[in-house]
Amino acid sequence: MSEQEIKVPDLGGADEVEVIELLVSAGDSVEAEDPLLTIETDKASVELPSPGAGKITKLTVKVGDKVKEGDVVGMMEASDGSGGSDNSGDSDDSENEPEEKTEDAPKEESKGQAEAQDSKPAPKKKSGGSRKETVLVPPLDGMENVPVIEINVSEGDTIEADDALVTVESDKATMEIPSPYGGKVAKILVAEGDKLSEGDKLLELTVVEDGDDEDGGQDQAPTDSGEEAKPEPKTDEAAQQKEPAAQAQSSTYEPPAPGAKVHAGPAVRKLARELGADMTRIKGSGPKSRILKDDVQDYVKSQLQQSQQGGSVGTGSGIPGVKLPDFSQFGEVEREAMSRMMAVTATNMQRSWLNVPHVTQFEDADITDMEAFRKSQKAAGEKKGVKMTPLPFILKACATALAELPQFNVSLDMERKEVVRKQYIHIGIAVDTPNGLMVPVIRDVDQKGLWELAAESAELAQKARDKKLKPAEMQGACFTITSLGGIGGTAFTPIVNTPEVAILGVSKAAMKPVWDGAEFQPKLMLPLSLSYDHRAVNGADAARFTSLLSQLMGDIRTLLL
Ligand code: COA
């Protein structure tokens, strides 16, 4: 039995490629075609197969090394006379062509892996009982002090042979350490963050020895009782390839549970790193929700699309998104999916906030007389079945101000560099509903009387709360009023409802002392906050607008003029 070199075969035109995984270690027995290591070009990951059956005596490369056709990657002692031959590109033996794990066939089970399963030594038949095994860290492809990033089992878990026990990650690769036996996890001897090297104790396993077991305990590799077992490490990617093809997935994305771990192989992690994709946000479509390359690519595509549509991740503004910490480190948290309305509102608010240079103008309107008049109409309102609140007066005043200062009744078409002037006065009213904010629109406010406006705003607000608004009833506004007067507050800075160019915020009216030139008078003052798009409206016009509103509401007879 002579020692032979293992060489890199023809790489199909690729020049230098990187070794990204070592799949065997010195001392391992392999069959012909067993995958020995994985190399990665910019197009595909390729497993380098063993040229024959035998024992690996040495690996001369490590993860991260660059190799090319003909390079020696290791030595082996051939056991069947066929192996150990030169499997470089000079060989005609097509069996020695590397098996490609291209993106077209990412889930294909490699022959080598299947054979590796089959070639496990037969289990020792026992008549029953159990034994305790201490599982040790196997050779880690030449790496030492590799941190544990995930513990995949808990004490008390019943596991199968080959189930991943822990995942370790160096700066080059992620590896799962599989269990050499099926059994029950008795004690975990490592913690996340611990640094592991070959021979360290991983966990204690209670292995049930059941000779009557139908499958003969085939998952249980034989060892003598009490012997410490070193499983063969496998990369997460390799584990992924062995699982059956992707299981059925729900189409909706469930955000990961707090502190949830990401399951993905090294090549996938590398791709995500290169694309700057946050793996905790990606839904894995592979077995056990493992993230596959396709998932990373689909995620990046969807983020780009959202970004182009002004979505929440980016707005084309170049402003980086907000990275969320793991909140569970500070205390208990729950996650729930946003309602569609909340998601749409969030998108619209962000779009407006980032696109519109906002300024807010504040003013107080003396509504002492208006309030006295409103109250005097209470009995009439009861007869009509309509409640007269301050809102119809504010609507009417805004309609008058929009007619007098038409620069507020526009939209900007920045693409065509045009100002769109509206010849109608439709006003939206923000309504607070249990499902979120809705903005029904009252048409032709300038042509309607106070009772009509009171009835229509009450009806639309009720429809909004009952989720009965039709899309047409929420479209076409020139301007918006958002009234928090029934709730409280002294002032606020509303966000313009683009493509409108201004919004009036109304806060709670309060009695204030107002100087009349001779003495202070108690007056009911209504705080107004006008936010406007400074591209369309200048500050002086905004001050004119709020002053006009104040005058109109201060003497409601002027609303008739
Ligand atoms: N100052 C003092 N009191 C006020 C007031 C003000 N500015 N505005 C309303 N009120 C009073 C009303 O007179 C009424 O009192 P009353 O029952 O004693 O007569 C009470 O507050 C409740 O009024 P409300 O039912 O809110 O009627 P409205 O016509 O003023 O408002 C809506 C209707 C739909 C605008 C309002 O119900 C609403 O949803 N507001 C919230 C809007 C919002 O969330 N905006 C935030 C956007 S970011």
Side-chain angles (χ1 to χ4, degrees):
M1 205 185 283
S2 62
E3 215 179 23
Q4 306 278 341
E5 289 178 333
I6 306 168
K7 289 186 179 177
V8 177
D10 179 6
L11 292 170
D15 222 9
E16 261 199 340
V17 294
E18 187 179 336
V19 176
I20 62 160
E21 298 167 38
L22 300 181
L23 304 173
V24 291
S25 312
D28 285 353
S29 294
V30 293
E31 297 293 318
E33 295 297 311
D34 274 2
L36 302 179
L37 47 94
T38 308
I39 49 183
E40 191 170 65
T41 69
D42 53 349
K43 296 212 179 65
S45 298
V46 177
E47 280 177 356
L48 203 97
S50 174
K55 192 172 177 186
I56 305 293
T57 52
K58 199 199 266 176
L59 282 181
T60 52
V61 289
K62 56 185 189 314
V63 171
D65 282 357
K66 297 262 169 51
V67 294
K68 58 184 185 316
E69 182 185 335
D71 281 358
V72 175
V73 295
M75 306 293 288
M76 71 183 294
E77 277 172 1
S79 60
D80 60 359
S82 67
S85 63
D86 186 345
N87 65 352
S88 71
D90 301 336
S91 167
D92 284 329
D93 186 357
S94 61
E95 292 283 300
N96 289 336
E97 285 300 310
E99 184 178 344
E100 283 219 2
K101 294 193 291 181
T102 61
E103 285 167 14
D104 293 330
K107 289 155 199 150
E108 201 179 302
E109 180 174 308
S110 91
K111 189 176 163 220
Q113 283 159 345
E115 284 175 357
Q117 283 292 93
D118 296 339
S119 66
K120 257 186 196 163
K124 237 194 262 180
K125 291 259 178 187
K126 303 255 169 120
S127 56
S130 64
R131 65 179 198 274
K132 198 156 265 182
E133 297 285 353
T134 303
V135 180
L136 303 184
V137 175
L140 293 171
D141 296 343
M143 293 180 288
E144 285 189 345
N145 293 321
V146 187
V148 177
I149 59 160
E150 186 178 353
I151 297 183
N152 308 76
V153 292
S154 308
E155 287 176 6
D157 281 0
T158 301
I159 57 166
E160 304 277 319
D162 272 349
D163 277 358
L165 298 176
V166 301
T167 307
V168 293
E169 187 173 61
S170 73
D171 52 351
K172 299 247 172 52
T174 307
M175 275 187 282
E176 280 180 352
I177 300 182
S179 177
Y181 321 106
K184 198 167 182 180
V185 178
K187 195 168 183 193
I188 296 173
L189 304 170
V190 293
E192 275 180 28
D194 282 0
K195 300 212 166 133
L196 300 184
S197 302
E198 180 181 349
D200 288 348
K201 288 181 180 174
L202 263 188
L203 50 76
E204 284 170 6
L205 205 59
T206 308
V207 178
V208 181
E209 295 158 349
D210 185 355
D212 299 333
D213 196 8
E214 261 209 344
D215 65 10
Q218 280 187 9
D219 283 345
Q220 297 174 18
T223 54
D224 292 325
S225 181
E227 190 183 307
E228 290 176 333
K230 283 189 199 174
E232 289 182 17
K234 61 184 174 185
T235 65
D236 209 12
E237 184 81 345
Q240 188 175 303
Q241 303 292 317
K242 268 178 68 173
E243 299 280 0
Q247 293 156 350
Q249 296 288 322
S250 115
S251 59
T252 47
Y253 173 67
E254 296 283 339
K261 298 294 182 319
V262 167
H263 298 276
V268 176
R269 286 174 189 272
K270 187 174 173 219
L271 177 70
R273 265 198 304 275
E274 281 167 2
L275 296 176
D278 176 357
M279 293 196 74
T280 63
R281 312 298 312 160
I282 303 175
K283 181 189 175 195
S285 67
K288 295 183 188 163
S289 298
R290 279 171 205 284
I291 299 171
L292 308 178
K293 274 188 176 175
D294 281 351
D295 299 326
V296 176
Q297 280 156 349
D298 288 349
Y299 174 79
V300 170
K301 267 186 222 156
S302 78
Q303 295 301 291
L304 284 171
Q305 270 161 11
Q306 274 190 43
S307 168
Q308 278 155 11
Q309 292 159 9
S312 59
V313 172
T315 57
S317 60
I319 298 171
V322 177
K323 284 219 165 200
L324 296 182
D326 174 8
F327 296 106
S328 65
Q329 65 186 299
F330 309 119
E332 203 176 317
V333 290
E334 274 178 17
R335 279 178 174 267
E336 76 177 316
M338 281 186 193
S339 67
R340 198 182 129 62
M341 196 195 291
M342 187 179 177
V344 168
T345 304
T347 301
N348 289 344
M349 291 290 177
Q350 188 182 28
R351 181 185 292 148
S352 178
W353 184 248
L354 290 174
N355 279 298
V356 173
H358 278 74
V359 180
T360 307
Q361 173 74 32
F362 301 101
E363 178 81 67
D364 277 353
D366 177 354
I367 58 162
T368 317
D369 294 341
M370 186 186 103
E371 193 61 3
F373 175 73
R374 186 179 76 85
K375 284 192 171 144
S376 73
Q377 296 303 305
K378 201 172 171 202
E382 276 165 11
K383 264 194 207 157
K384 289 173 188 283
V386 178
K387 186 177 171 191
M388 183 67 83
T389 66
L391 186 61
F393 296 91
I394 301 167
L395 275 164
K396 203 71 196 158
C398 287
T400 306
L402 286 169
E404 281 202 26
L405 296 164
Q407 57 271 49
F408 285 85
N409 195 8
V410 301
S411 285
L412 300 182
D413 185 338
M414 294 308 290
E415 263 177 38
R416 293 164 63 168
K417 299 282 181 293
E418 287 175 0
V419 177
V420 183
R421 298 193 186 285
K422 292 146 194 186
Q423 309 301 313
Y424 51 86
I425 297 178
H426 305 337
I427 297 179
I429 47 170
V431 179
D432 177 33
T433 80
N435 308 300
L437 189 68
M438 303 201 79
V439 188
V441 179
I442 303 182
R443 289 175 190 265
D444 302 313
V445 175
D446 53 324
Q447 295 165 36
K448 290 178 177 163
L450 288 171
W451 286 117
E452 208 179 346
L453 292 173
E456 202 175 328
S457 54
E459 188 193 328
L460 286 172
Q462 195 52 49
K463 271 184 158 182
R465 292 183 185 117
D466 295 344
K467 292 199 214 168
K468 290 207 171 122
L469 282 176
K470 297 191 187 100
E473 290 173 317
M474 292 185 280
Q475 289 165 1
C478 311
F479 181 86
T480 296
I481 296 171
T482 173
S483 174
L484 298 176
I487 304 170
T490 54
F492 62 110
T493 55
I495 294 179
V496 172
N497 199 9
T498 44
E500 298 156 31
V501 297
I503 181 168
L504 182 72
V506 181
S507 298
K508 192 176 180 66
M511 292 302 290
K512 287 186 182 169
V514 176
W515 185 250
D516 68 0
E519 55 188 338
F520 282 106
Q521 298 286 350
K523 296 284 183 190
L524 185 63
M525 304 302 288
L526 180 70
L528 305 174
S529 309
L530 178 80
S531 289
Y532 58 92
D533 181 340
H534 210 346
R535 295 172 305 172
V537 173
N538 64 42
D541 286 338
R544 281 186 196 104
F545 194 94
T546 51
S547 296
L548 181 55
L549 285 181
S550 173
Q551 279 170 34
L552 291 166
M553 284 190 260
D555 184 352
I556 53 170
R557 291 169 305 174
T558 52
L559 287 174
L560 300 170
L561 297 175

